[in-house]
Amino acid sequence: MASIKDTGVTLRRLDFSESSQVMVFFTRAHGKVRAIGKGIKRSTRTRFAVGIDLLEVGDMVLSVRQARQEALATLVEWKAQRALAGLRERLGRLYAAQYAAETTTALLEDWDPHPLLFDGLLTLLDGLCTAEAVLPPTVAYQALLLHQVGAWPEFAVCVACRRTPATEGDLYFSSHEGGLLCRDCEAGHPERRLVDRRGLPLLSGSESPEDAVTTRVPGEGSIVEGVFSLLNYHLAHQMGREPLLACKLVSR
Ligand SMILES: [Zn+2]
C-alpha cells in the first residue's frame, strides 16, 4: 500500500454501509479518484469530522494499492479547507455547482490528472459563492472542461466542407461531427441542431472561449442561455445522456 497526499473536491458521495461512504474526488495531482471513507459517518471521535460534504474542498491522505488503481482508494485523512457555504445560500448557485460536478465526473477517467481543470473548477466554485448570475461562469467552465478533455468543437468553419459559413441563414451544429455544419452540408447528418448565431463570437474567436465568456458575456440573458444549451448539447453527447441538472439552469 502506498500513501498519497493531495488536495481535492468532492464530486459525488454515495452511502456504502451504515458507517462508511464512497466518495468520488477530483484531486489536483491525481485526477478523479474513488475512495472509501470508513467510519466517516459514525461520530466526531473518528479521525474524520462529521463526514464530508458534497463540493467540499480539502486536503487528503489516501491509501492506494498501486498495482490495482481501479480499486477503491482508502481515505486515511481529510482536512477541510473551505466549505463553500455561499453555494448553499441560493439554489441557482448550488445547481450550477452540481452541474459542474456531474459533467466533470462523467467526462474524466479515473487517475487521469487535469490540474488546469481542477484550478478552473475551484475558480468556478469560489465565484459561484457570491455570483448573482450563475450561467456565465458555468459556461466558461463548460468550455474549459471540453478543452481539457480534448472535445472542444470546431466553431470557425463547417466541419464537412471546411468553408466559413455564410453570415446569414440557418446554421447547424453536430456533436458527432464535432462542430458547425453549413446549410449545404447539414442534410446528410441526422444528428444536428440549429445554432443561435448570436453566441458564436464567444465560441469562435482567437482568445480561448473560457476567457471570452468570462470577459465578454453580458450577464444573464438569452445569448448566454443559447451558448449554455449548445455546449450542454455537446457535453450530453460526450456523456451519453443529458446532465440531470441542466434543466435547472435554463428554462428550455
Ligand atoms: Zn459545409
Side-chain angles (χ1 to χ4, degrees):
M1 300 285 266
S3 278
I4 57 174
K5 288 185 178 180
D6 210 337
T7 301
V9 56
T10 335
L11 296 179
R12 287 191 70 192
R13 215 176 46 155
L14 308 158
D15 287 335
F16 184 73
S17 69
E18 281 290 301
S19 59
S20 301
Q21 282 181 334
V22 170
M23 274 123 345
V24 178
F25 292 111
F26 184 18
T27 67
R28 190 169 197 285
H30 298 85
K32 188 175 79 174
V33 176
R34 295 167 197 278
I36 183 163
K38 291 171 183 160
I40 200 163
K41 295 193 295 180
R42 205 153 36 206
S43 80
T44 53
R45 294 177 59 206
T46 66
R47 273 174 291 184
F48 307 111
V50 283
I52 299 173
D53 257 340
L54 203 61
L55 299 164
E56 189 173 307
V57 182
D59 297 316
M60 70 186 81
V61 177
L62 297 168
S63 175
V64 184
R65 277 181 231 185
Q66 282 182 319
R68 292 183 56 215
Q69 290 209 323
E70 75 276 12
L72 282 176
T74 301
L75 185 67
V76 180
E77 272 181 51
W78 173 263
K79 193 174 159 204
Q81 275 188 1
R82 46 197 197 276
L84 300 165
L87 292 180
R88 280 133 185 114
E89 289 170 6
R90 293 192 195 176
L91 263 183
R93 294 175 184 170
L94 193 58
Y95 288 150
Q98 288 175 340
Y99 174 86
E102 180 188 5
T103 49
T104 304
T105 305
L107 264 63
L108 292 189
E109 304 288 337
D110 288 5
W111 300 100
D112 182 18
H114 285 279
L116 286 179
L117 184 64
F118 178 83
D119 294 345
L121 180 60
L122 257 55
T123 300
L124 171 71
L125 296 177
D126 279 332
L128 285 174
C129 284
T130 55
E132 294 297 325
V134 302
L135 268 193
T138 306
V139 169
Y141 185 74
Q142 286 177 309
L144 180 65
L145 175 59
L146 285 167
H147 265 289
Q148 289 290 312
V149 300
W152 182 251
E154 174 63 72
F155 286 114
V157 297
C158 168
V159 289
C161 66
R162 308 307 299 179
R163 287 184 302 209
T164 307
T167 53
E168 289 180 354
D170 288 348
L171 184 61
Y172 296 83
F173 174 84
S174 168
S175 189
H176 182 72
E177 300 301 328
L180 296 181
L181 287 170
C182 72
R183 285 174 74 181
D184 297 334
C185 300
E186 58 95 7
H189 302 272
E191 181 276 307
R192 68 196 190 287
R193 55 162 279 165
L194 265 174
V195 172
D196 180 347
R197 286 174 170 277
R198 296 172 304 160
L200 273 186
L202 295 172
L203 300 168
S204 59
S206 55
E207 61 191 319
S208 73
E210 53 268 32
D211 289 344
V213 171
T214 306
T215 55
R216 292 199 276 126
V217 160
E220 219 59 91
S222 61
I223 295 179
V224 71
E225 283 192 11
V227 175
F228 173 87
S229 296
L230 181 61
L231 295 182
N232 181 66
Y233 173 84
H234 190 49
L235 282 165
H237 195 87
Q238 308 298 314
M239 292 166 64
R241 64 174 174 83
E242 176 80 4
L244 298 173
L245 272 301
C247 62
K248 305 281 191 187
L249 294 171
V250 287
S251 45
R252 62 201 152 90

